[in-house]
Amino acid sequence: MTEFNPFFKRYSKGLRRVAVVYPNRYVGGISNLGIQRLYFEVNRSEKYLAERFYTDVFDGLRSVENATPLKDFEVALFSIQYEEDVFNAVRILRESGFSGRSVAGGPCVIQNPLPYAKIFDRLFVGEAENAVLDVVEDRSVEGLVPHSYRRRRVELDSEMRSEIIGEGAYGRALIVEIGRGCPRGCRFCVVRQIYSPARWRSAESILEFAEENRKLADKVAIIAPSPTDHPEFKEIVSGLRELGFEVSPSSIRADRFDEEMAELISGTRTLTLAPEAGSERLREALNKGISEDDIISAVEIAESAERIKLYFMFGLPGEEQEDLEEIVRMVERIRRMGKKVSVSANPLVPKPHTPFQWLPYGGDPERDVRENLRELKRKRKFLLSRLRRVADVDVESVERFAVQTIISRGDESVGELIAGGARPSEILKRASEFLEPLPPDEELPWDRIEMGYRKSRLRREFELVMERFG
C-alpha cells in the first residue's frame, strides 16, 4: 500500500495510543474525510498517537502504520458509516482482545444511537471536529452520550490543511468537501436532518486548499450531498481546472446540469445521476424535484461521458408494477442514446428522522412483514431480469436491506443481539418487528436525541404522501 500521509507520527515513550477504526475496507476509509479528521486531531496533540485500522488490512486487528495490535491501544474510535459495519466492529473488538474504552460515531450512530449502546462504551452524536480530544479523554461535551443527547454541529473550518492520499473510492485523488448538509427536501433521505443546516465552503478557501496540495494528485473529488447546489459550483470547478486538476463531482443533480457545466467536467467518463424512481408520480412523492426531461437532457448534454450511472429505489409507498416498468423504460431510452449504462436499484430503507420513518420495510402498510418481503423479492427479480438486457445491474438482496432497516430503526434489544454474536440472518429472524409500520402517535427510539427539527413537520409530510396513495 503506497500513500502520502502528512499526519504520520512516530511512537515515543509516554505517548498514549488511540486507534481510529474504520470497520470496512481501506478503499472506502481512505476516502472518508471524517476518519482523516479524527486521525489529524489526535496526532497533532502532544499526548497522543493515532494509528488507523481497516478490515482488509490485518483483518482490522493491527494498525496500518506499524502493525500494532489493537489490544495495545487505550482508546478506540469507531466510525459507523453503514449499518452492517457494526458486525465488523463487534468482530474486531472480540478477536483483538481490546480492553480499553471504545467510542462510536458516524452517520449511523447520529441517526439512532440505541442499537450501539450495548456494544460501545460511549457514543458520539454529531460532528466531532475540535472535540476529538474531549471524546478521547471522556470529558463532558455536546454530543457525547450519555453526557449529552443533543446533536453537535460545527461551522466548517480549514484547520486540516492537507490530507492522506491513497488509492480510494475516487482513485488517487485529493478529496475536497465543498459543503455539508443538503438544502433539498427528499423525503427518503436522512442527510437533511442529521447534518442540517446546509453549509458551504467558499470557492476562495477551496481553491486555496487545492493549490497548496496540487502536487499530491492530478484529480480532485468534490464531495457534498448535493455538490451542484453549491452557489459557486461552476467557479470552483473552473478554478480547479485552471490549476490543472481533473475534477470529479460525487454526483450531479440533473436539473442543475447544463452545457457550461458539461464543458467544465468534460473528461469525466462517468456521469452519475439519481432519478430514484422511474415514474414522475413517485418522484413527486419522494419530493425529488427532477423530471424525466431533466434526466434525458443531462444525458444529451454530457457528450464526453461514456457511461451513465443511475440510482433507483423500489419498495416505495404507492408503488405499482407500472412504476417498475418506468424504470426499465428510462434505462432503455438512455441506452438507445448510445451510452453504456450502470444501474443500482435497491429497496427503500425507511430511515429515522425522515417522513418515511413510519413506513414498513417494503412500503405497503396493508401488507404484513412476510408479504412485503415476498413482494420486494418479486420486484427485485423483475428488475434484474429486464435490466440485465441493457445495462450493468447491481441489485442487492432484499434480506440485506431488511437488516439495515432493523439496525437503523432498532433499540437496545437489537444491539444486545449483535453484541451477543448474532449474524445478519439471525437478526432478521429475531427482530423482524422493526420492519413493521411504526405508529405515528408513539415515541420512537431516536426521539430522545435533540436534532433541531420539529417531528410534526415530518408527520405532515408522511400523511400527505399516504393520503395521496389512499
Side-chain angles (χ1 to χ4, degrees):
M1 180 190 307
T2 59
E3 63 175 27
F4 168 77
N5 184 353
F7 311 135
F8 176 78
K9 185 175 181 179
R10 295 188 182 279
Y11 178 76
S12 60
K13 188 176 180 180
L15 286 177
R16 298 159 66 182
R17 287 190 168 101
V18 176
V20 177
V21 186
Y22 183 81
N24 208 313
R25 298 171 59 232
Y26 175 88
V27 68
I30 199 62
S31 304
N32 186 292
L33 290 178
I35 287 287
Q36 293 215 25
R37 184 63 185 249
L38 297 177
Y39 184 78
F40 160 74
E41 288 200 29
V42 173
N43 271 345
R44 69 175 174 175
S45 164
E46 296 179 355
K47 295 170 58 178
Y48 297 99
L49 169 75
E51 297 184 30
R52 293 166 294 143
F53 292 74
Y54 307 99
T55 55
D56 56 346
V57 182
F58 304 120
D59 291 326
L61 306 179
R62 292 175 175 269
S63 70
V64 170
E65 287 80 0
N66 297 303
T68 310
L70 182 62
K71 63 182 177 64
D72 291 349
F73 287 73
E74 180 179 321
V75 179
L77 306 177
F78 286 78
S79 181
I80 310 297
Q81 298 288 316
Y82 309 99
E83 285 86 359
E84 292 163 294
D85 288 354
V86 71
F87 295 105
N88 291 330
V90 168
R91 177 190 63 79
I92 289 170
L93 287 169
R94 183 179 64 250
E95 294 181 3
S96 66
F98 178 75
S99 59
R101 188 170 66 256
S102 60
V103 188
C108 293
V109 175
I110 298 173
Q111 71 180 7
N112 180 13
L114 269 68
Y116 307 95
K118 301 292 185 180
I119 298 169
F120 302 97
D121 298 312
R122 293 284 187 273
L123 303 172
F124 190 83
V125 178
E127 301 163 38
E129 284 101 323
N130 298 313
V132 177
L133 294 184
D134 291 322
V135 173
V136 167
E137 297 183 355
D138 202 26
R139 293 196 290 262
S140 178
V141 63
E142 187 176 55
L144 186 61
V145 178
H147 301 304
S148 167
Y149 283 88
R150 182 189 296 271
R151 172 183 63 97
R152 185 176 188 268
R153 64 169 294 278
V154 301
E155 295 299 325
L156 303 185
D157 64 41
S158 56
E159 291 187 27
M160 202 170 81
R161 302 303 302 173
S162 189
E163 65 186 56
I164 306 170
I165 305 291
E167 291 293 334
Y170 303 96
R172 197 169 185 86
L174 186 68
I175 301 170
V176 179
E177 182 191 41
I178 67 170
R180 192 176 301 172
C182 184
R184 302 287 176 166
C186 300
R187 294 188 173 112
F188 60 88
C189 184
V190 70
V191 166
R192 67 166 169 159
Q193 306 298 355
I194 68 173
Y195 291 116
S196 66
R199 288 147 286 161
W200 304 108
R201 298 185 191 276
S202 69
E204 181 182 5
S205 66
I206 291 165
L207 296 175
E208 182 181 276
F209 175 84
E211 186 167 19
E212 289 175 7
N213 294 277
R214 64 187 303 177
K215 295 181 180 179
L216 301 184
D218 298 324
K219 179 180 180 181
V220 169
I222 294 177
I223 306 300
S226 182
T228 47
D229 279 322
H230 192 297
E232 299 176 289
F233 180 79
K234 290 179 179 178
E235 291 87 339
I236 292 166
V237 177
S238 178
L240 291 172
R241 290 285 298 271
E242 289 177 8
L243 288 172
F245 288 106
E246 175 189 345
V247 182
S248 177
S250 54
S251 64
I252 293 287
R253 273 198 59 100
D255 59 338
R256 301 296 299 269
F257 194 67
D258 56 21
E259 292 183 359
E260 181 183 3
M261 196 176 294
E263 177 63 28
L264 287 172
I265 64 169
S266 62
T268 300
R269 291 185 290 273
T270 299
L271 178 68
T272 301
L273 301 171
E276 309 296 0
S279 65
E280 296 285 359
R281 73 184 195 97
L282 283 190
R283 279 195 295 276
E284 289 176 9
L286 296 174
N287 203 26
K288 180 65 181 177
I290 61 173
S291 67
E292 183 166 332
D293 288 343
D294 293 328
I295 297 161
I296 297 304
S297 174
V299 175
E300 289 175 340
I301 292 170
E303 295 181 3
S304 66
E306 300 171 3
R307 181 179 295 273
I308 307 298
K309 187 167 186 178
L310 302 170
Y311 285 93
F312 293 99
M313 296 183 295
F314 59 98
L316 302 174
E319 186 174 71
E320 304 288 349
Q321 179 63 25
E322 291 79 5
D323 299 301
L324 303 180
E325 292 169 356
E326 285 291 295
I327 292 176
V328 176
R329 188 189 60 77
M330 182 187 292
V331 174
E332 290 175 339
R333 183 179 178 185
I334 293 172
R335 183 68 184 87
R336 287 195 299 271
M337 295 169 71
K339 302 291 188 181
K340 296 177 182 178
V341 184
S342 297
V343 175
S344 175
N346 296 306
L348 168 71
V349 174
K351 290 279 190 175
H353 310 294
T354 73
F356 289 166
Q357 65 184 351
W358 291 285
L359 285 172
Y361 178 62
D364 190 343
E366 300 301 317
R367 293 191 174 104
D368 63 24
V369 170
R370 289 185 179 181
E371 289 173 328
N372 264 319
L373 287 172
R374 188 160 52 242
E375 182 64 5
L376 283 174
K377 290 178 181 179
R378 184 196 67 78
K379 292 175 178 179
R380 178 182 184 273
K381 183 177 180 180
F382 169 80
L383 290 172
L384 274 174
S385 65
R386 293 288 300 277
L387 291 173
R388 277 174 173 164
R389 305 172 189 175
V390 292
D392 295 328
V393 187
D394 177 21
V395 184
E396 291 286 356
S397 75
V398 168
E399 290 84 359
R400 180 176 181 184
F401 278 72
V403 172
Q404 289 184 20
T405 299
I406 290 169
I407 297 173
S408 70
R409 302 206 303 182
D411 57 20
E412 291 97 333
S413 66
V414 173
E416 288 176 348
L417 289 173
I418 297 172
R423 301 308 301 159
S425 59
E426 189 176 355
I427 298 294
L428 182 55
K429 290 179 182 178
R430 297 177 61 182
S432 62
E433 67 268 24
F434 293 105
L435 302 176
E436 298 174 356
L438 301 180
D441 294 325
E442 293 184 9
E443 183 177 354
L444 300 171
W446 48 89
D447 282 348
R448 70 182 67 177
I449 302 296
E450 295 182 43
M451 298 296 289
Y453 67 86
R454 291 185 178 182
K455 186 178 177 181
S456 59
R457 177 176 60 80
L458 300 186
R459 183 167 175 174
R460 283 197 301 273
E461 290 192 51
F462 172 70
E463 291 171 347
L464 181 69
V465 172
M466 300 313 293
E467 287 170 7
R468 177 171 184 169
F469 294 118

